[in-house]
Structures are given as C-alpha cells and as structure tokens.
Amino acid sequence: LSVGGRVRHYKFDVEYMIKTPDCLEHVVMGINGQFPGPTIRAQVGDILHIALTNKLSTEGTVIHWHGIRQFRTPWADGTASISQCAINPGETYHYRFTVDKPGTYFYHGHYGMQRAAGLYGSLIVDLPKGQNEPFHYDDEFNLLLSDLWHTSSHEQEVGLSSKPFRWIGEPQSLLINGRGQFNCSLAAKLVNTTLPQCNFRGGEQCAPQILHVEPNKTYRIRIASTTSLASLNLAISNHKLVVVEADGNYVQPFAVDDIDIYSGETYSVLLRTDQNPNNNYWVSIGVRGRLPKTPQGLTILNYKTISASVFPTSPPPITPLWNDFERSKSFTKKVIAKVGTPQPPKFSDRKVFLLNTQNLVDGFIKWAINNMSLALPPTPYLGSIKFKLNNAFDQKPPPEKFPQDYDIFNPPTKNPNANIGNGVYTFHLDEVVDVILQNANQLNGIGSEIHPWHLHGHDFWVLGYGEGKFKDGDENKFNLTHAPLRNTAVIFPYGWTALRFKADNPGVWAFHCHIEPHLHMGMGVIFAEGVHKVGKIPNEALTCGLTGKLLVNKRH
Ligand SMILES: O=C1O[C@H]([C@@H](O)CO)C(O)=C1O
C-alpha cells in the first residue's frame, strides 16, 4: 500500500430492504439502509478500508470496486469465485486498497445477479488538494444510472438458467441516482403519454434529484452506468456537453448534444449554464441498442434564478433511434486520449481472438467465447492458482482463436452447441496482450447485439473498432498514437474491437460482458498473470472450497 495515504474507514452493511425507487414498492439490495449505497469520496493515494458485513439472511455477497486496478491487493477486487470467497451471512470482509488514479468510478455486487438487485453506489477519487484537473469547473454533480425490473433478481436468474429459457425482457424503469417514475411521468403535460403527470410534494423516494445550478457557471457532471442491460443516451435540453473523462482517464475534450453510455462505463462532461435562466431544462436518459420498451428517465436542471417547480417549456430531448448504430459508433470513436496520455507499446507479444456467440448447451441458451461458456468454480482462482490446487478448475486453457471460416453473419447453425468451462488465460508478467473481440450473429434469426466488455485489474488501450470479421492487415489501422485508456469497451453488431494492455498486475482478473444476464449466461473469461508474485492473501478471502480445506488442515 502506498506510503502517506490517508486511511478512510467505511462500515458497509449489505441487506435487502423495501424501497420505492420508481414509486412502486420493491425489495432492493442496499447498504446501511440506503439505496443506492453511500457515495465513497477519496483522494488519490488514500487507502480505503471498507468493512463489509453481510446482513442478508440466506446468501453470500461481495462488492467489486469498478475501475480500481487493485495493484498489490488482488484479493480486494470483490469478485466471488475469482478473487475471494463470497462473504457468508453474518460475516465481515475487510476490503483494503489504494485508490491511485483520480476519476469517476462506482462499486457494485459481483455475485450472482446482485447488481441487478440494486447493490451499487458511487466511488469518486479526487486529486490531492492543491492539484488541479486539466479543465476548469465551478461545481459538480454525480449521476449514477441504472435500470430496474419488477421481477426479482432471483426470478430473473432462475429464468435465464431454465429450459425453456426465460429472457428478463426490458427494464420497467430507468433510475437516476436510484430514482425513477413508473406510474407517472414528470413530462406528461408535454409528451404523448397515457401516464398521469407526477405530483411530488418532495421527500418521496421516487422524486427526482434536481440539479440546481447558477447561471454562467461550468459544472462537471459525473455519469456512471451500472445498468443490468440498458445502453443509455443522456441529454440535457438546450445544453452542450463537453466530454473530458472516460472510465477514470482524461480524454481529448469534445462537445456533443448527448452522450451514449454503456453499462460499466463512466464519463465526466462539462456543462456551461449559458441558457435562458428563466427556464428549467430536462435531463433525460433513454434506451439505445435494443428496441426500447422503457420510458425515459428524467430529472430537471434548475436555474436557481427561478423555482425548481417552474415547468420546462419544451418536451424532453428525444433519445436517438435505438438502432442507428452509425450514430453510436460515431460517438464512441470520438473518445480519444488526451494529449500526454501514455500510449501503447508499438507491438504486442500475444494476440487473443475472442469470438462472442450465443449458443445452446444441452438445450440451455448460453453465451460462449471461442465456444466456451464460463461457469465459475467453487474455489476462487486467486487461491487455487497461487497454491497450485489443480483440481480446482479446468487445467486446459481455453482457445486463443476461433476457426477462420466461422460465419459471423448467420446463426451458429454448424456449431450451435458450446461447452461449459472454467479454464484460464495465463499471461507472463508484463506481457503485452492484444485482445480482438469479435461479434457475431445471435442464436436465432438475423441480428447481433452490443456488448460492453469490462476488464478487471487494468485499463486497456482501445486500438480500434472495425466492421465484419477481423482480418490480416486490420492491425495496420490500429490507433497507436492517441488510443484512449479505458476499462470498458463495446463491440458493435457484427463488428470487432481491438484492445491492448500490459499484463503487469499480479492477480486473477475477470474480463466479461457487463450486461448482468449475459455474464450470468457465461459471457466472460478469466485472465491470470504473475500469481506467484501475489503477496499474502488474507485468510478471509480463502475460507471456501479447496482453499478453505487447506486452512482447516493447517489447524488440525
Ligand atoms: O441473451 C439474450 O437472450 C435474449 C434473446 O436473444 C433470446 O431470447 C436477448 O435479447 C438477449 O440479449
């Protein structure tokens, strides 16, 4: 742990609670009685110490600190079956780790589908006092975006693993800082809807959190998406957004009317309050990438010159067409590194091609990567690899490429069946790895979805996005001069995305689609590097499976 960092102590009690996040009652997962969980705010170099107590009565839990690389603390990454054992009811796990990079982050459950159940909150890392961000702002807001279902995460989980398969469908509500409106609309008076106008007295759990601003100032709006499924577009009527940060990395500033944000991504945008201060304006989020069946999520940008209850004069921004993928690509490709950002090594040591397919396994619908669908083992990899427990998981590494003649434009008719597995991609410490994520056609009918891939333990450089199947020579088009550093990158329908990272963080790291049901259906892989260099893993991370038995045997 870094020297001189201030230790910040948090006590987190995770429990199920009854809340009314979209004006209807639901059981959600919360922390210390709050949904979303408390915001963690720290400074670069600080050590966070979060004592997490599982107050659920019948299931385990863990929390992942999304975007924090966990250098020298891989057991604090908060991934059940990968970096630690799930924390049992009544038990407390101590997450201790350094936050070494300023930026906008969040945290969330990483066991079963607990993120879908509402286990999430914001994590913001400021620069040390006296240091300035490379852009100016007067004040800031924080928007944590999520989606909500009226079915429980358990019901969803069982449906996804059933035969016949039951898809979770589209979310019922979109939430901004845990607040949405299902049975009324904030904008009913201005839009074509059968929903009544919402009437809030204030204090309701589903009342929107209003952004109160002063005219002629610059605000930094931090935006993080922890959605289970939805790809979102955020816009603020009449106001330009200048994107300055993505996933805790500075980007070359660019101005847009709206931003796309995929699950697992974070952005900071600057907003200048230069519009008529006698109006209020809409902040809207809407679904993109899938046929939307969910009303927009809304709140208000209120110029303090007038009352927050003054009704905006025009309807909320219209969310761009869900399937205008050219528009989506155009936005995503605008995200390039700020000048001065470290750039990737010119060459990679290894290329891993990962074909994403939706398959059948014994009649169950799964997602597979190079024909392997991930099912996590009972003993977390970090311990089983470090202690060489070879029975803990498949010792045969998964394939690093897929058949060249695979037809990505059609359903997987020739090989509809995938295999279930839990093998590991092992990298040499400091190896420079390219990952080429290849999208393909879904299982039934013609179509291909967007998947946001999130890497634990690292940032990667995004080298490029391409159409169709990656082919020899495409690497000549890689962006090696202003490649953005990120921890999440999307693959577009029928396209590929190329990433480069240095395997310089001893540990075991998940790399997966951040869509919660897709991960649950096996859409992920496991990377490991330099595990022999990992320091002493705290016993509390090892108390299950084969490592649990080792601990017991030492005592007897
Ligand atoms: O994984 C998925 O399954 C459904 C559909 O493909 C099968 O019902 C869907 O929309 C997904 O994203």
Side-chain angles (χ1 to χ4, degrees), residues 165 167 170 229 290 358 365 367 442-444 449 451 518 521:
F165 176 76
W167 177 239
E170 296 301 308
L229 176 67
R290 306 176 63 94
Q358 196 185 22
I365 299 184
W367 288 90
Q442 65 210 25
L443 179 62
N444 295 308
E449 297 180 27
H451 302 281
H518 288 178
M521 292 160 73

Side-chain angles (χ1 to χ4, degrees), residues 48-69:
L48 298 186
H49 177 176
I50 299 126
L52 191 141
T53 303
N54 180 352
K55 294 269 176 96
L56 310 170
S57 47
T58 58
E59 63 188 294
T61 195
V62 294
I63 286 187
H64 168 58
W65 316 94
H66 185 111
I68 307 299
R69 289 168 297 172

Side-chain angles (χ1 to χ4, degrees), residues 353-414:
F353 295 86
L354 300 178
L355 174 68
N356 292 227
T357 56
Q358 196 185 22
N359 296 82
L360 285 176
V361 178
D362 298 330
F364 294 96
I365 299 184
K366 299 284 177 192
W367 288 90
I369 307 307
N370 294 351
N371 235 25
M372 295 299 286
S373 183
L374 179 65
L376 293 169
T379 308
Y381 292 102
L382 187 62
S384 60
I385 296 176
K386 173 134 186 199
F387 303 118
K388 303 193 166 61
L389 307 176
N390 296 339
N391 297 327
F393 61 92
D394 302 344
Q395 294 300 294
K396 187 171 174 257
E400 303 214 352
K401 47 179 185 273
F402 55 91
Q404 285 223 317
D405 61 357
Y406 185 90
D407 178 5
I408 66 158
F409 294 106
N410 281 295
T413 39
K414 279 189 213 149

Side-chain angles (χ1 to χ4, degrees), residues 2-254:
S2 73
V3 183
R6 163 178 164 185
V7 184
R8 288 178 195 263
H9 293 271
Y10 292 85
K11 211 178 140 348
F12 271 21
D13 288 350
V14 172
E15 60 193 320
Y16 281 110
M17 303 176 311
I18 296 169
K19 292 274 175 188
T20 51
D22 67 349
C23 304
L24 297 186
E25 263 189 6
H26 306 286
V27 170
V28 296
M29 280 184 117
I31 297 169
N32 301 346
Q34 287 171 246
F35 165 81
T39 296
I40 294 179
R41 189 118 204 176
Q43 270 178 15
V44 172
D46 285 351
I47 297 161
L48 298 186
H49 177 176
I50 299 126
L52 191 141
T53 303
N54 180 352
K55 294 269 176 96
L56 310 170
S57 47
T58 58
E59 63 188 294
T61 195
V62 294
I63 286 187
H64 168 58
W65 316 94
H66 185 111
I68 307 299
R69 289 168 297 172
Q70 304 290 357
F71 279 121
R72 291 173 289 279
T73 53
W75 48 79
D77 194 41
T79 45
S81 282
I82 304 169
S83 60
Q84 69 169 104
C85 297
I87 309 159
N88 281 320
E91 291 184 341
T92 300
Y93 188 89
H94 298 271
Y95 290 100
R96 289 187 185 85
F97 56 91
T98 302
V99 287
D100 61 352
K101 221 159 50 91
T104 306
Y105 306 100
F106 60 107
Y107 61 82
H108 60 80
H110 215 296
Y111 184 41
M113 290 180 64
Q114 292 185 346
R115 180 161 58 91
L119 186 52
Y120 44 72
S122 296
L123 198 177
I124 292 166
V125 182
D126 290 309
L127 282 169
K129 281 239 156 49
Q131 283 187 38
N132 292 321
E133 301 279 2
F135 41 83
H136 163 83
Y137 54 100
D138 299 298
D139 207 346
E140 64 170 74
F141 294 100
N142 183 42
L143 305 179
L144 181 61
L145 312 181
S146 57
D147 45 9
L148 182 81
W149 275 256
H150 292 172
T151 45
S152 73
S153 60
H154 293 111
E155 194 172 340
Q156 294 178 23
E157 193 172 326
V158 173
L160 294 168
S161 1
S162 290
K163 196 159 51 174
F165 176 76
R166 290 192 197 179
W167 177 239
I168 62 168
E170 296 301 308
Q172 274 69 55
S173 303
L174 300 179
L175 309 181
I176 303 176
N177 290 342
R179 291 153 181 267
Q181 298 81 34
F182 177 75
N183 49 13
C184 67
S185 164
L186 288 178
K189 287 184 206 159
L190 291 169
V191 298
N192 184 12
T193 176
T194 51
L195 291 174
Q197 178 66 40
C198 300
N199 266 317
F200 291 119
R201 285 181 298 169
E204 292 91 346
Q205 281 174 15
C206 63
Q209 220 170 54
I210 290 169
L211 281 51
H212 300 284
V213 296
E214 284 169 21
N216 298 313
K217 300 259 187 233
T218 302
Y219 291 87
R220 176 183 191 167
I221 306 180
R222 299 176 183 268
I223 307 159
S225 175
T226 184
T227 57
S228 186
L229 176 67
S231 301
L232 298 175
N233 180 273
L234 178 142
I236 302 182
S237 331
N238 296 47
H239 291 75
K240 287 269 178 213
L241 308 173
V242 177
V243 180
V244 291
E245 182 215 346
D247 299 356
N249 292 288
Y250 298 125
V251 303
Q252 203 56 28
F254 62 97

